[in-house]
Amino acid sequence: MPATFRVGLLGHGTVGGAFAALLEQRADAIVPITGLKPELSGVLTRSRGDFEAILAGSDLIVELIGGLEPARDYVLRAMRAGRHVVSANKLLLSQHGEELWACAREHGVQLRFEAAVAGVVPVVRVLQESLAAAHVERVHGIVNGTTNYILTEMARGGLSYADALGQAQALGYAEADPTDDVTGRDAAAKMAILARLAFDTPVHLEQVRYEGIEQITADDIAYAQELGLSLKLIGTAERVDGGLSVRVHPAFLYGGHPLASVNGPFNAVTVESDVITEITMSGPGAGGPQTASAVLGDVISAMIPPATTPEATQELAIVNDVASAFYLHMEVADRPGVLAQVAELLGLQGASIKSVVQRGLGDNARLVMVLHPLLESRFYAAMRLIGRLDFMRAAPRAIRVIEEEFT
Ligand SMILES: NC(=O)c1ccc[n+]([C@@H]2O[C@H](COP(=O)([O-])OP(=O)(O)OC[C@H]3O[C@@H](n4cnc5c(N)ncnc54)[C@H](OP(=O)(O)O)[C@@H]3O)[C@@H](O)[C@H]2O)c1
């Protein structure tokens, strides 16, 4: 009979419930891998279980409560008591990661969190282990499945944002309250964690600038399709001027970009570095059984060799003004000189135009252009002035464009 490995489970909701079922289902198959048979030693929810009793009877704690407290308190207490911890809690790690990783190192235990970023896509493991020797230059990610589903449906079916969101909610891809997803905050938390791992420097959620997708119109997507672009909510963490820029915003991608074809509720992360050029990983970004599978993978890893998140060795400055290419959408009165005036204001800020589409007449006239990269502060200065021109019929809209072509 193999020895038992006791797993205490905090939280028994969408992921916790799926994890409990999967653990039972896979327990026998785990024995040949680890020499141990995992079994649930206790479950804590708001209405059942006692944390101290579960801790005392467990070799490892799985935290699937979510939120900051009491999850933070339980995770710290478990590690101080010498237990390994597995968590899927991106909010907790993006705000208290340094405290938690320091506690894990101090007590010689593992804190694993593969399911906290991009669901079942093994990006945490790849950054921590496979790419540990790579000097990462940039990480790009579609790390929120809800928004990717909404944008995909807007592009495929010409749905409005509100209709696509309603469809996502009906299919269970979006919560009843989708705020964290559609504002980009959920993706920002995941990018903070990825940036910490890729660049070995502390990154707090509040240092990540984020914009969501609520302002995107089907119109923007249709115009951009004419220019060969597809729209994604992109998280970026990259080295800039000796510092680090971490941000989340909608961005247009050209067809050849590895993330351009990631559709529906899928997630994907691209890691770029001189030596490895580019690696893209993609797969389901959420869902109870999918996330539970990533959690169980972490439990199995914790049953075998040690893995730690080392102390940060860098203090990279967070850079907020970076160069971006932009798509600029303007509703204008149809009269001579419009393009020239817009071009002049852009030119004053050093912006140059890459492509232009003009459509419609009279009250339906639209001027859509893609600009070559320039500092965001300069672009927004020009856009503010353009917004004041007397022929503008609505505030101009801008969306970043990620320019690289991959072959
Ligand atoms: N859902 C996904 O697809 C997904 C994907 C990736 C990561 N995650 C992460 O996984 C974690 C869990 O998400 P979920 O969707 O499974 O959440 P959920 O369905 O809301 O379940 C939360 C569980 O935690 C329990 N709980 C809440 N407050 C508690 C407290 N104060 N003390 C003890 N138990 C408490 C709840 O108890 P009751 O049963 O009594 O309400 C429930 O069993 C979160 O960190 C989330 O970000 C989720």
Side-chain angles (χ1 to χ4, degrees):
M1 281 286 283
T4 299
F5 187 83
R6 301 161 305 163
V7 178
L9 177 59
L10 314 182
H12 197 267
T14 305
V15 183
F19 172 78
L22 187 65
L23 183 69
E24 192 179 346
Q25 200 186 320
R26 301 292 300 157
D28 285 334
I30 293 169
V31 176
I33 307 170
T34 62
L36 300 167
K37 182 165 180 175
E39 71 173 31
L40 267 197
S41 48
V43 175
L44 182 78
T45 68
R46 276 179 283 219
S47 56
R48 67 169 156 141
D50 172 70
F51 175 72
E52 284 301 338
I54 292 171
L55 183 60
S58 302
D59 300 304
L60 176 149
I61 293 292
V62 171
E63 183 277 305
L64 294 170
I65 293 175
L68 295 183
E69 296 293 354
R72 172 179 159 274
D73 179 50
Y74 289 152
V75 168
L76 286 170
R77 280 160 67 186
M79 292 194 293
R80 285 175 191 141
R83 306 299 191 278
H84 301 310
V85 171
V86 174
S87 171
N89 194 331
K90 61 225 151 199
L91 204 63
L92 182 61
L93 288 159
S94 63
Q95 297 194 52
H96 296 284
E98 295 312 316
E99 177 189 29
L100 298 174
W101 290 312
C103 182
R105 288 191 299 271
E106 186 185 340
H107 294 277
V109 297
Q110 299 181 44
L111 172 59
R112 288 186 170 265
F113 48 93
E114 185 65 70
V117 184
V120 79
V121 185
V123 56
V124 170
R125 193 173 306 245
V126 166
L127 282 173
Q128 280 187 317
E129 296 170 21
S130 319
L131 299 183
H135 181 76
V136 176
E137 284 295 335
R138 177 162 60 185
V139 179
H140 267 155
I142 296 174
V143 290
N144 183 274
T146 305
T147 46
N148 204 46
Y149 176 82
I150 292 171
L151 294 175
T152 302
E153 289 307 303
M154 288 174 75
R156 272 189 191 147
L159 296 187
S160 68
Y161 166 73
D163 288 346
L165 172 59
Q167 192 168 303
Q169 285 168 322
L171 289 170
Y173 292 136
E175 305 276 330
D177 176 1
T179 311
D180 271 4
D181 290 325
V182 299
T183 58
R185 189 168 171 82
D186 174 86
K190 293 166 179 168
M191 290 311 298
I193 298 170
L194 287 185
R196 166 64 169 90
L197 297 180
F199 299 100
D200 202 16
T201 188
V203 181
H204 191 279
L205 170 59
E206 301 313 325
Q207 293 174 302
V208 183
R209 291 182 305 134
Y210 58 91
E211 294 168 27
I213 63 162
E214 308 108 298
Q215 310 302 330
I216 301 292
T217 67
D219 212 22
D220 288 321
I221 294 179
Y223 276 105
Q225 276 174 339
E226 288 187 39
L227 296 164
L229 299 166
S230 61
L231 188 68
K232 305 290 176 195
L233 184 70
I234 298 288
T236 301
E238 65 181 341
R239 297 181 192 276
V240 179
D241 299 336
L244 183 68
S245 166
V246 192
R247 55 193 195 271
V248 171
H249 50 65
F252 284 116
L253 303 175
Y254 283 99
H257 194 283
L259 301 183
S261 57
V262 177
N263 288 317
F266 269 52
N267 280 193
V269 176
T270 294
V271 183
E272 296 168 35
S273 120
D274 279 352
V275 179
I276 60 161
T277 48
E278 173 260 312
I279 289 177
T280 301
M281 296 155 269
S282 74
Q290 294 84 348
T291 309
S293 159
V295 173
L296 184 55
D298 271 352
V299 171
I300 295 169
S301 297
M303 290 166 76
I304 325 169
T308 55
T309 301
E311 199 170 343
T313 57
Q314 322 231 6
E315 271 293 345
L316 298 181
I318 299 291
V319 178
N320 284 323
D321 198 11
V322 294
S324 293
F326 280 92
Y327 153 102
L328 180 60
H329 181 128
M330 292 158 284
E331 296 178 29
V332 296
D334 186 18
R335 65 161 104 125
V338 165
L339 178 56
Q341 282 194 59
V342 169
E344 187 185 347
L345 290 177
L346 289 169
L348 286 173
Q349 291 296 340
S352 73
I353 299 169
K354 178 172 181 175
S355 47
V356 181
V357 178
Q358 270 181 288
R359 284 278 183 282
L361 293 168
D363 283 351
N364 280 322
R366 301 272 194 288
L367 185 57
V368 177
M369 50 180 67
V370 174
L371 306 176
H372 287 292
L374 76 161
L375 272 185
E376 294 191 352
S377 56
R378 303 199 72 165
F379 170 76
Y380 285 115
M383 191 166 112
R384 272 192 299 277
L385 294 175
I386 291 169
R388 288 188 210 141
L389 293 171
D390 64 352
F391 52 72
M392 296 296 299
R393 293 186 298 101
R397 290 200 302 275
I399 298 172
R400 293 167 186 80
V401 177
I402 292 175
E403 279 228 306
E404 289 88 354
E405 289 279 6
F406 288 77
T407 50

